[in-house]
Each structure stands twice: as structure tokens, then as C-alpha cells.
Amino acid sequence: MRTVEEHQRVVAGLIERRPPVRLPISETLGLTLAEDIVAPLSLPGFDNSAMDGYAVMAEDAAGASEDRPVLLPVVEDIPAGRTDPLVLQPGTAHRIMTGAPLPRGATAVVPVEATNAATDTVAIRAAARPGQHVRTAGEDVTAGTTVLRSGVALTPAALGLAAALGLGELSVIPRHRVLVMSTGTELVAPGMPLQPGQIYESNAVMLAAAIREAGGEVVASPMTGDDVDAFRDTLGRYAGEADLVITTGGVSAGAYEVVKDALGAGGVEFTKVAMQPGMPQGAGRVGGTPVVTLPGNPVSALVSFEVFLRVPLRAAMGVVQPERPRRNAVLTEDLTSPRGKRQFRRGVFDPGTGEVTSYGPPASHHLRWLASANCLLEIPEDVSELPAGSRVDIWDLS
């Protein structure tokens, strides 16, 4: 059997980064920037008002107070978006709105709350100082400055900055396109009636969600029965659109192992990994496309995705820290584990106490418990017993 680390290296070696692409800015949230962004212009691009109020020369209103207001004629009205150049003459005021360009000669903005809000002659009731409520050109960003570095994840704030700089497209590392195929004649799509001996298909829904949560794109998630020709036809129909194919089921030692039968003579190697759950695994290429085959039991499938696929998938999309947070916690109970296999148990971690409790049976079909767990306990291969109070490594799934 392979060790977990050996199979991790095999899978990681298959998943390669796609070349950068330019995408509309609206399609880049969460993607990784592929090149530095150098500001093509300054922000703000011009001196403008930070308040609704009156643009003045500060010295004209330096002595204003509630008891002795300064009276100035209002000679212009400047809404945001006005584009014609204006000049403020000494002893006058321009009514101005937030974001509107400051007229040449103005050195301060008096908030409307400190005036009588008049449109003909304004009474200023508070002293003004130079620079008051003025946003100066370039105080946020100076043209030519590198504002975002290659390798950063594009957050809403980062996209807001790029848009403010007038950038309609960005160079990014694209999402990995993943085809998810679940196999089994017993599978029925959710929402359809069940016949005796049938079960609802859940792996494709679960893995597609895991791929999207990791930042990838799901090309399709078809399911096929235990028919080799049908499986190959479905694979051929979609594989050309995918950077990675993930299958579930059909990889064990039974009589109807459709994935193993369809791909075993090609470029996919099937193996056993010393872990629980998730022992039967496979990895390789079909027609140049990476293929990773996972077990069919739902817990085995999702744990295998976490252990083998999530990190290299995220790394291939340029995520700087692709791993789940790892913690060390205090076990609240006695546990046993099969010697010679690394066990991944569902658990509930309490960050307040630093304690962790295993959650549900270890068998690979108990999906209910995984759905409510917030961590995986990782128990090494050489450990068969863990008494309460032991320290154990956990993968934080929250």
C-alpha cells in the first residue's frame, strides 16, 4: 500500500497551473492576480470636496463664529460631475457637493451644517482652516504606484480599487475546470422516485460543492451506471472541457468496478492507500487529462478530496495558503485506530477550550456525522490507542 504522502505527491504531480488569462473585472472575484497592477492614474484624480457645503478661501472665513457669522455671496453651484473649470474669487463662496471638483483658488470647504444653507448669501458660523474637508489629488494613490501585487487574491475591495483605476479587465490565474463523474447502477438523481435497491446520488453534488468552495469550476457532474461503454462515452463527451476529472465509485475489488474496468488498461494506476476511510484510490491521465478516482462511499469520497485534491487544486489556482488550518487539540475521550493506517475521524472542536471530541462512527457511509463535524482528527499509522487527554492533530473544516 502507498502511504498518504506518496499518493498526495502522485496526485499533486498531475494538477498543473493553467496559463494566465485576461477576464472582465466582474468575473475575477476570488481569483489570483497574475501580474502587478500599476496605477494608471491618481486617486483622487483632482482636488474635491469631502462634504456637502461651501468652497471658500480659508482666510475669508477664519474669524467666523456663531455670534459673528461671515457673510459671503454664493456665485456658483457645483454638483458632483461638473466638468467645466471654475475659479473662486476672494470674498465669495461656491456651494459644493461631496465629490465635486474644488474650484481653483478655494482652500477649504465649510460643511453645510455650519451655515444657514443659503443659495444667495451664505452665513458661515464656524471658522475655516486651510485644507479643511478637502480631498487632495493623489492622496490615496499616486499614478505609477504598484497598488496590487501578483499572487494576491482578488477581494471585493481589490476589485473596487481596480475599477476606480479604470481597469475593465485583469490578468488572472483561471479557475480549474473539473469534471465530476459518479458511477453506480443503483444511483438515482435527487428528486426522482426510488425503486427497491436504489439510492440517491450524493457524491457528485457533494464534490461539486467542494470544488466550487475550493475555487474551482465544475464543467459537469454526470452519473453513469456500471457499464464500461456508457462510462467511456460520458467521459469522452465532457473530458475535453476539463483540466481535471474526478470519479467516484467503481475502484474497489468487486465484480462491477466500472471505473477500474474502463481505465485500468490505460493511463490510470489503481492502488490502495494506508488510510481509513478512503483506501482504494487511483490516479493518472486519460488522453492527457488528469484523472483522480475516489471511492464511492460518501465519507471516503469527501475525505479523499480533502486529503489529496483540495490543496493541489487550490495551489494550481495560485492560492497562497491552500491548506486547511491545522491545529493541535486535547482529546476528550478514549479512541482506538487501526494500526498501519492513518485514520481520519470526524470531530467537533471547541476553540474556547481547545478540546476535540470524535463525532459519529468511523465507517465511511455515515455521512450525517460528517455534515455536522467541524474538523477531521488525524491519527497516525503507528497509533492504535489514544487515551482521553492526549493531544491530536486536527484539520479545521469550519
Side-chain angles (χ1 to χ4, degrees):
M1 282 195 285
R2 280 181 183 162
T3 65
V4 169
E5 288 79 10
E6 287 170 342
H7 197 61
Q8 284 175 327
R9 287 192 291 270
V10 169
V11 173
L14 294 171
I15 302 176
E16 301 171 347
R17 182 175 295 192
R18 294 174 62 193
V21 297
R22 295 194 69 81
L23 293 177
I25 191 171
S26 61
E27 299 176 13
T28 61
L29 177 64
L31 298 182
T32 299
L33 193 62
E35 61 183 29
D36 293 350
I37 292 181
V38 178
L41 49 83
S42 294
L43 294 178
F46 50 87
D47 293 349
N48 67 87
S49 177
M51 301 283 285
D52 293 335
Y54 296 84
V56 299
M57 294 181 181
E59 58 269 29
D60 285 342
S65 67
E66 282 285 347
D67 296 333
R68 302 184 65 180
V70 170
L71 303 179
L72 296 175
V74 179
V75 298
E76 289 286 354
D77 204 39
I78 314 176
R82 184 167 177 176
T83 59
D84 54 318
L86 297 173
V87 177
L88 178 74
Q89 299 298 328
T92 67
H94 291 183
R95 192 170 72 141
I96 194 167
M97 302 299 113
T98 302
L102 204 69
R104 187 161 58 87
T107 59
V109 173
V110 178
V112 67
E113 294 83 357
T115 73
N116 64 348
T119 58
D120 49 2
T121 299
V122 61
I124 298 174
R125 299 191 178 101
R129 63 182 187 281
Q132 172 180 291
H133 304 307
V134 174
R135 303 166 176 162
T136 58
E139 73 174 43
D140 186 14
V141 174
T142 303
T145 302
T146 299
V147 292
L148 291 172
R149 295 286 183 184
S150 173
V152 303
L154 289 167
T155 62
L159 296 182
L161 174 59
L165 293 169
L167 303 177
E169 292 184 337
L170 298 176
S171 178
V172 295
I173 299 171
R175 301 185 192 280
H176 243 58
R177 299 165 299 191
V178 185
L179 170 63
V180 180
M181 296 183 63
S182 55
T183 64
T185 302
E186 74 279 14
L187 301 179
V188 175
M192 301 296 291
L194 286 178
Q195 299 296 323
Q198 293 181 327
I199 61 172
Y200 285 120
E201 199 290 318
S202 60
N203 283 348
V205 174
M206 179 175 64
L207 290 175
I211 290 160
R212 294 187 183 102
E213 189 270 338
E217 174 188 343
V218 179
V219 171
S221 52
M223 61 181 181
T224 68
D226 295 321
D227 181 286
V228 170
D229 290 336
F231 175 84
R232 287 175 175 159
D233 288 346
T234 304
L235 178 61
R237 190 181 316 139
Y238 294 104
E241 306 171 28
D243 306 301
L244 171 68
V245 176
I246 300 174
T247 70
T248 66
V251 296
S252 192
Y256 299 98
E257 305 300 340
V258 64
V259 175
K260 185 180 288 187
D261 293 342
L263 305 181
V268 177
E269 180 184 7
F270 294 90
T271 187
K272 293 180 179 180
V273 177
M275 64 184 288
Q276 185 192 60
M279 184 175 66
Q281 299 284 339
R285 293 182 183 271
V286 174
T289 302
V291 176
V292 177
T293 69
L294 306 180
N297 275 317
V299 175
S300 296
L302 190 57
V303 169
S304 296
F305 178 87
E306 288 287 337
V307 174
F308 299 118
L309 281 161
R310 190 176 190 273
V311 170
L313 186 62
R314 285 166 58 80
M317 292 184 289
V319 178
V320 176
Q321 294 181 320
E323 300 87 2
R324 293 279 193 189
R326 305 289 178 88
R327 310 189 190 283
N328 192 258
V330 177
L331 191 61
T332 63
E333 61 192 320
D334 297 339
L335 282 184
T336 60
S337 182
R339 187 175 292 275
K341 292 184 180 180
R342 187 173 309 181
Q343 190 177 57
F344 294 92
R345 294 283 294 265
R346 288 134 280 187
V348 175
F349 173 65
D350 183 345
T353 64
E355 294 179 330
V356 66
T357 303
S358 71
Y359 193 57
S364 57
H365 63 286
H366 291 292
L367 184 58
R368 165 197 167 188
W369 306 97
L370 183 57
S372 301
N374 66 3
C375 70
L376 291 176
L377 287 70
E378 182 178 7
I379 303 174
E381 294 89 336
D382 59 351
V383 174
S384 59
E385 295 183 0
L386 280 172
S390 301
R391 302 203 70 89
V392 62
D393 290 332
I394 65 171
W395 297 29
D396 190 341
L397 304 179
S398 59

